[in-house]
Amino acid sequence: MFRILHIIPRLRKGGAERLCLDICNELQKRENTQVQLITFSEENAYPFLTESLDWKIVPACVKLSVFHKNQYFVESLQRAIEDFAPAVIHTHLFEAEVVSRSVFYPQAKWFSHCHDNMKQFKSFKIKTVLNKELFTNYFERKHLLQRYKANGGNTFIAISKDTEAYFKQNVDDLETVLLPNAIDYRRFYRKTNKTNSDCLRLVHVGSFTANKNQKFLVEVASILQSRNILFELHFLGAGECYKEVENLVIEKQLQHQVVMHGNIANVEEYLWQSDLYVHSSFSEALGLTLIEAMAAGLPIVTLDGKGNRDLVEEGKNGYMVYEQNPELFADKILEIWNDKQKYQEMSLYAQEFAKRYDIVPYVDRLFEIYSEK
């Protein structure tokens, strides 16, 4: 029996959490494979994805200190790993990196899933010692590199060419492999033959953080309103910047056009009811929500987040805007919307493109990586 352990801190709303669960659910369909999921918290925003999983909640944490003794609370995690005896340990998000590598289990192959360009892994530069955050990051980096070595090595799984380049540049003594993230294509796909009603329906999915930059999309909405376009913009998600964006919607008098739904479980149903997907992040390691939207038949218009460059074939499944220019962004939306034939072609191509990122061939390749390393 081939035992695979996935570790993620908690199952809150997010792309990393959703992908981790999709991987676990697909892995356990494979013959002679036993999969276990460990989280450090009972938080679970995806109960429909965990009901058939071997999921264990193992409270564990590590408190690293630059000037004092590190504190480790990992005894329960050590026992859980030894009891399961995995051949592979696959971790997600930086907290899981620090906590999991504080146990000692060199019998397994260790893999780190790089859902973003983890800032803690930046190489040392002179300015590092002059900046508290950079110095703390470097301390954590040094600690982790020592723990990787103690556990027999580590392989980073990069989700985009940009992320791959980042880890190869900053952690060149450990292996990095490129494996773009995937979705459950069957969940988001629906045969589409949109006729483009008079009302343009835009949708955005993502946590309300400074990086996600939803205020930019409100500015785009204001421009569409000034051009007398009949439209709706639907925001799905929640977070620390939610109220700030909501206040801007009120300030721009867009309450009838911009709808803020909060966190939504059935995201696919909102995608099926929309015409275009819009994305505004300053940086993006890849962009699972873009792939999900394309699977639902939506062309995309997005700002350049670097990692999402891998997903845009200009004029075929959408457009990328390389500057923070809401006028230009609105132009690209209307270029797709106003050409009915082009819209249909882009919608169909977006679905074909998204099929490349289906979870089934993804796990096939993941198995190969587990075996090769």
Side-chain angles (χ1 to χ4, degrees):
M1 185 66 68
F2 190 55
R3 292 185 176 86
I4 304 169
L5 176 63
H6 280 253
I7 303 176
I8 194 166
R10 56 195 55 82
L11 296 175
R12 60 175 50 149
K13 278 282 181 184
E17 291 82 358
R18 189 171 67 249
L19 176 66
C20 176
L21 292 171
D22 283 344
I23 291 172
C24 290
N25 277 297
E26 181 60 31
L27 278 172
Q28 70 176 7
K29 296 176 184 176
R30 308 304 170 96
E31 291 184 3
N32 301 315
T33 302
Q34 186 176 352
V35 181
Q36 187 174 97
L37 172 68
I38 285 180
T39 65
F40 309 143
S41 162
E42 64 184 12
E43 181 179 353
N44 183 11
Y46 299 96
F48 62 98
L49 291 175
T50 55
E51 28 184 60
S52 64
L53 291 179
D54 177 10
W55 170 34
K56 292 191 180 303
I57 301 164
V58 182
C61 70
V62 170
K63 297 178 181 178
L64 298 180
S65 174
V66 176
F67 300 109
H68 300 95
K69 188 176 180 180
N70 297 332
Q71 294 180 293
Y72 301 95
F73 306 92
V74 296
E75 295 85 358
S76 296
L77 181 61
Q78 180 78 51
R79 287 195 300 271
I81 291 175
E82 290 173 354
D83 289 345
F84 185 59
V88 165
I89 300 177
H90 186 151
T91 55
H92 305 260
L93 301 178
F94 189 73
E95 182 183 346
E97 292 298 295
V98 174
V99 176
S100 68
R101 292 334 188 272
S102 297
V103 306
F104 181 69
Y105 196 78
Q107 300 92 316
K109 297 178 182 178
W110 290 80
F111 296 85
S112 300
H113 207 110
C114 306
H115 293 277
D116 58 15
N117 297 0
M118 291 182 267
K119 60 185 180 181
Q120 293 86 350
F121 283 97
K122 279 193 175 179
S123 301
F124 180 84
K125 293 181 174 59
I126 295 299
K127 66 179 181 180
T128 301
V129 297
L130 304 175
N131 180 288
K132 182 180 179 181
E133 182 183 0
L134 292 178
F135 186 71
T136 300
N137 290 344
Y138 178 72
F139 171 78
E140 293 174 341
R141 176 185 188 271
K142 186 176 179 181
H143 170 83
L144 268 175
L145 293 180
Q146 291 172 343
R147 296 308 306 164
Y148 291 147
K149 185 176 180 180
N151 276 297
N154 193 70
T155 299
F156 294 101
I157 297 177
I159 66 173
S160 67
K161 292 175 184 175
D162 180 69
T163 300
E164 180 187 28
Y166 174 84
F167 278 89
K168 285 187 173 180
Q169 177 183 349
N170 290 286
V171 202
D172 58 358
D173 55 339
L174 291 172
E175 188 160 7
T176 299
V177 296
L178 176 62
L179 181 64
N181 280 350
I183 64 168
D184 183 353
Y185 184 80
R186 293 159 297 183
R187 176 185 170 194
F188 293 93
Y189 173 81
R190 173 173 284 187
K191 189 173 183 180
T192 177
N193 186 24
K194 293 179 180 290
T195 56
N196 297 53
S197 65
D198 291 336
C199 182
L200 166 61
R201 295 159 297 184
L202 306 171
V203 64
H204 173 272
V205 182
S207 300
F208 279 75
T209 64
N211 179 60
K212 292 299 183 183
N213 192 27
Q214 284 96 340
K215 289 168 70 174
F216 175 84
L217 294 178
V218 178
E219 297 292 346
V220 173
S222 182
I223 289 165
L224 292 174
Q225 183 186 50
S226 71
R227 297 184 187 180
N228 297 315
I229 303 299
L230 182 62
F231 76 96
E232 297 172 356
L233 170 58
H234 295 267
F235 282 119
L236 310 183
E240 61 199 42
C241 296
Y242 186 93
K243 192 66 179 177
E244 189 178 344
V245 175
E246 187 177 48
N247 289 339
L248 183 60
V249 170
I250 295 169
E251 178 187 324
K252 298 285 186 181
Q253 298 183 346
L254 290 165
Q255 299 96 310
H256 297 299
Q257 290 90 355
V258 179
V259 186
M260 301 178 69
H261 297 273
N263 281 330
I264 296 294
N266 54 331
V267 169
E268 62 274 19
E269 294 184 13
Y270 286 82
L271 296 176
W272 294 335
Q273 295 165 13
S274 300
D275 300 299
L276 279 166
Y277 183 80
V278 289
H279 204 70
S280 52
S281 295
F282 288 113
S283 63
E284 196 72 67
L286 182 69
L288 275 179
T289 55
L290 278 73
I291 303 171
E292 293 168 351
M294 287 190 280
L298 305 188
I300 60 175
V301 179
T302 178
L303 289 177
D304 176 24
K306 293 187 178 179
N308 59 359
R309 293 174 185 175
D310 296 0
L311 301 179
V312 179
E313 293 190 8
E314 200 74 2
K316 297 180 72 175
N317 60 3
Y319 289 110
M320 179 166 284
V321 178
Y322 291 89
E323 55 185 284
Q324 295 279 319
N325 184 331
E327 291 276 359
L328 180 57
F329 200 96
D331 289 343
K332 291 300 182 182
I333 290 172
L334 295 177
E335 183 177 335
I336 300 171
W337 177 246
N338 290 331
D339 187 331
K340 307 305 182 185
Q341 181 176 347
K342 183 172 188 174
Y343 178 91
Q344 292 293 344
E345 291 171 354
M346 292 180 76
S347 175
L348 291 171
Y349 185 79
Q351 289 189 310
E352 286 300 311
F353 181 89
K355 196 182 295 184
R356 306 175 194 174
Y357 294 86
D358 183 42
I359 194 69
V360 177
Y362 173 94
V363 167
D364 290 342
R365 176 59 185 141
L366 185 60
F367 250 115
E368 291 176 3
I369 293 171
Y370 287 160
S371 302
E372 291 167 358
K373 304 307 170 191

